[in-house]
Amino acid sequence: IDNDHNRVSPPQMRPSALAILLSLPLTDAATLSPAKRFIATNRFRVRNAPGFEQRWANRKSRLATLDGFRYFTLLRRRTEPPEFFKDSPCDPNAPDYVSCTLWADENAYSAWRKGDAFKEAHGGKGGISAFASMLKTALFLLKGKPSPALYEGATVTAGEPSPSGAKAIGGWRQDVSADGKSLLDSECFAVMNRWPVVEGMAAEFEAAMDPDLGAAVSTPEGLKVRTLMRRKGLDADDGFTHNSLSIWESEEAFSRWRASLPRADAIRKMMDSGVITGPPSTLFFDGMLCLESEQGP
């Protein structure tokens, strides 16, 4: 779902879950959707973007070898939206970068968070000197502290697994050259819709956003993964308890999908029904350092 102009689906296309949603009443839902993934993110404002990316590219990590790991990408926010969203308002408080890791479940995330792999990736195995070096570098690269946010994946739609995980020698990308002067090349395109869900209406919102509602819908061409992310405990420091994140092979793949479905009516229906207070706030990203498990996201 996107805050976009209404378009008519081509007649040869199978009816989508979104079209089915428009024909159904929004009714009270008893519970929130069960978590299908656990998503750990960290939001960054940076002083030195190439240096920040170099720090990530050259870090010591064995992320892709860990039990329960599914997908990782470092997202760099586009300061200018794509042409089709050129009139969208710019959020001055939006992060410059978001690190995004998908885990099979919260137990897998917790095992990583408490284990040696986390300490190694964050400079903790080298004692005081390693920690001091990491802190000095962070102060030079960042504007303020990182801001973590944890989510449950209420819905997940994944494309076919790609060979990107095979590039992970020892669990991390060793094929990316970062000189600290130039930005890394984009490896994917991501869209994040941050939804203003009315308090007490989270279950109804999730039911309306479920891509499996009423029928089996084929995965769009070029989609890597799409998930409706619910803040853990519905505790949101930015006011958005739900984000829908979709990651695509390219901006062109997203544009083709976007042109194929009507979305404005679904958003208006949720607004009129008191599920959301307005359209979503949309952010666009280029993704780098993509990692994927053998099972895919």
Side-chain angles (χ1 to χ4, degrees), residues 44-47 75-77 94-98 143 285:
F44 304 88
R45 301 293 300 273
V46 304
R47 303 178 188 277
L75 300 174
R76 177 179 64 221
R77 181 172 59 87
D96 299 318
Y97 288 84
V98 178
K143 297 178 181 177
F285 299 88

Side-chain angles (χ1 to χ4, degrees), residues 70-105:
R70 299 304 295 262
Y71 187 81
F72 171 84
T73 185
L74 178 65
L75 300 174
R76 177 179 64 221
R77 181 172 59 87
R78 291 191 176 185
T79 55
E80 294 292 334
E83 179 65 23
F84 50 81
F85 269 83
K86 63 181 181 180
D87 296 327
S88 298
C90 179
D91 181 357
N93 298 315
D96 299 318
Y97 288 84
V98 178
S99 63
C100 183
T101 311
L102 274 66
W103 297 92
D105 52 41

Side-chain angles (χ1 to χ4, degrees), residues 181-192:
K181 299 178 182 178
S182 303
L183 295 176
L184 298 179
D185 292 337
S186 176
E187 298 176 355
C188 63
F189 177 73
V191 182
M192 180 183 291

Side-chain angles (χ1 to χ4, degrees), residues 95-154:
D96 299 318
Y97 288 84
V98 178
S99 63
C100 183
T101 311
L102 274 66
W103 297 92
D105 52 41
E106 187 173 0
N107 288 336
Y109 162 77
S110 296
W112 166 77
R113 182 65 178 80
K114 297 174 182 178
D116 288 343
F118 175 85
K119 297 175 183 177
E120 292 167 2
H122 294 80
K125 292 285 282 187
I128 296 298
S129 61
F131 179 78
S133 176
M134 181 188 69
L135 182 61
K136 181 179 179 181
T137 302
L139 291 174
F140 173 71
L141 296 175
L142 301 180
K143 297 178 181 177
K145 298 179 180 179
S147 179
L150 302 177
Y151 299 86
E152 295 168 319

